[in-house]
Amino acid sequence: MNSISASPLIPAQKKSAKAYENGMNSDLKFLSYVAAMWSSGQDQSEQRLTMRNLPAYFISDDLKNLWSGSGDSRLSTFYENSSNEGKAIANYLTALTKEQLDKTFLNWVEEDAQSPSISFSRRVKCLATIHANCTYGSFILPGSKPDFEHIIAKKLLGRHLSNGKMLYAEEGLCGGAIGNIMLLNDANNREKQTSNLWEDALSNSKSHEASAAIVNNPKYIQALSYPDQATLAKAQEGLKIGDVETAKAVIVSRGRAVMMAIAERLGK
C-alpha cells in the first residue's frame, strides 16, 4: 500500500531524509485506503479504479481536514461492521473532478494566505513535491539533491523591524505558503543565497549558469509557475521598505497556479 501514497510524492530528498514527503498522511486516512481495497475483494476493476482515484483524495481530504476530530467513526464507514450494518460502504470509486479539486484547492490557498508564516509546514512541503512531480519533475536532473527553496528569500521575509519583530509576522505575510516554495538543486540554492533566479542568472555567482538554464527555458519557467522578473523585483524592493502587498499578491497568485496545476493533473 505504500506505493499508493508514495507515487505522487517523489523524488527522493537527501540520503538522510525520507524517501518521499508524507506530511499530508495520517494513520486513519491511510487505513481507509487499506479498507477500501479490502472491501473491493477480488474485483480488479474496482481495485484499479480505487488506486487511480486515491492521489486526488489524498490531497483533497487533507485540505478539507476530513480526517480531523472524528477520524475513527469516519474510518468505520469504509468496511462492514456493526455500526454501519445495512448501509452502503464508503469507497473511493467516484473520481474527483478538476472542478471539485479547483474549488477545494483555491479555498485552501485563500485561507492559508491569512496566516503569517515563514517556514514551510510538512503539508506545504508535501504539496510542493506533488507539484514538482505533476509539472516540472522532468527538468530536475537525475541524481540531484533538491532543496525546498523560498522564491522570495526567507531573509527578506524575516527582516527585523525597529520594534524587534519580524516583517512577515508584523505584517501578516504568508512567506511559508505553497506559492513561495519550489524544489531547486541544493548547490544552486545555496550559492545564490537571497537572490531570485532572475537576479542570480545575471550575477557572477557559481550558480549563475544553473539559474540561467532555468529562466531561459520557457517550458521550465511555465511549469514552475515562477513569477516574472519585473514583478518579483518589485515584490522584493517593497519588502525592503516594509511594503508587503506586492509580495503577498505574488505568493497568493502563484499558489493558485500551483494548486490548479495539481488539479489539472489529478482531476477527472
Side-chain angles (χ1 to χ4, degrees), residues 33-48:
Y33 301 162
V34 177
M37 293 294 288
W38 183 270
S39 297
S40 66
Q42 300 302 312
D43 190 327
Q44 293 187 1
S45 63
E46 286 196 0
Q47 292 178 357
R48 287 194 294 269

Side-chain angles (χ1 to χ4, degrees), residues 152 156-157 159 161 166-174 234-235 237-251:
I152 296 177
L156 292 175
L157 300 166
R159 181 170 64 84
L161 305 176
M166 289 186 175
L167 176 65
Y168 83 93
E170 180 75 351
E171 299 296 335
L173 182 57
C174 49
K234 183 178 179 181
E237 289 304 311
L239 291 178
K240 293 175 183 178
I241 59 173
D243 176 10
V244 304
E245 292 308 311
T246 302
K248 184 172 183 177
V250 168
I251 293 170

Side-chain angles (χ1 to χ4, degrees), residues 106-122:
L106 295 182
N107 284 343
W108 174 76
V109 168
E110 300 303 323
E111 291 172 5
D112 193 53
Q114 303 309 309
S115 301
S117 60
I118 191 170
S119 297
F120 300 130
S121 67
R122 294 177 69 240

Side-chain angles (χ1 to χ4, degrees), residues 107-182:
N107 284 343
W108 174 76
V109 168
E110 300 303 323
E111 291 172 5
D112 193 53
Q114 303 309 309
S115 301
S117 60
I118 191 170
S119 297
F120 300 130
S121 67
R122 294 177 69 240
R123 170 188 273 173
V124 166
K125 288 180 179 180
C126 185
L127 285 170
T129 310
I130 294 171
H131 177 238
N133 281 276
C134 286
T135 61
Y136 63 93
S138 61
F139 292 101
I140 298 177
L141 296 175
S144 63
K145 300 176 182 179
D147 277 339
F148 292 110
E149 153 78 351
H150 284 77
I151 291 176
I152 296 177
K154 191 174 184 179
K155 188 172 183 179
L156 292 175
L157 300 166
R159 181 170 64 84
H160 282 87
L161 305 176
S162 58
N163 61 6
K165 295 182 179 180
M166 289 186 175
L167 176 65
Y168 83 93
E170 180 75 351
E171 299 296 335
L173 182 57
C174 49
I178 185 62
N180 200 37
I181 185 175
M182 62 179 282

Side-chain angles (χ1 to χ4, degrees), residues 9-23:
L9 306 181
I10 52 179
Q13 302 299 304
K14 300 176 185 62
K15 291 180 180 179
S16 61
K18 298 184 295 294
Y20 52 88
E21 288 296 327
N22 61 356

Side-chain angles (χ1 to χ4, degrees), residues 11-133:
Q13 302 299 304
K14 300 176 185 62
K15 291 180 180 179
S16 61
K18 298 184 295 294
Y20 52 88
E21 288 296 327
N22 61 356
M24 298 173 70
N25 201 10
S26 71
D27 291 342
L28 295 177
K29 180 168 70 169
F30 184 79
L31 286 173
S32 76
Y33 301 162
V34 177
M37 293 294 288
W38 183 270
S39 297
S40 66
Q42 300 302 312
D43 190 327
Q44 293 187 1
S45 63
E46 286 196 0
Q47 292 178 357
R48 287 194 294 269
L49 191 56
T50 297
M51 292 278 282
R52 187 162 64 243
N53 293 337
L54 284 182
Y57 279 100
F58 178 84
I59 302 172
S60 181
D61 284 5
D62 185 81
L63 298 187
K64 292 192 289 188
N65 296 310
L66 292 186
W67 288 96
S68 299
S70 57
D72 288 356
S73 58
R74 179 175 172 79
L75 175 60
S76 69
T77 66
F78 284 88
Y79 60 93
E80 293 184 7
N81 59 81
S82 59
S83 69
N84 62 13
E85 188 172 353
K87 298 179 182 178
I89 303 300
N91 58 64
Y92 294 102
L93 297 175
T94 302
L96 295 175
T97 66
K98 176 182 176 298
E99 289 72 25
Q100 288 174 307
L101 294 178
D102 274 343
K103 182 178 180 180
T104 297
F105 292 0
L106 295 182
N107 284 343
W108 174 76
V109 168
E110 300 303 323
E111 291 172 5
D112 193 53
Q114 303 309 309
S115 301
S117 60
I118 191 170
S119 297
F120 300 130
S121 67
R122 294 177 69 240
R123 170 188 273 173
V124 166
K125 288 180 179 180
C126 185
L127 285 170
T129 310
I130 294 171
H131 177 238
N133 281 276

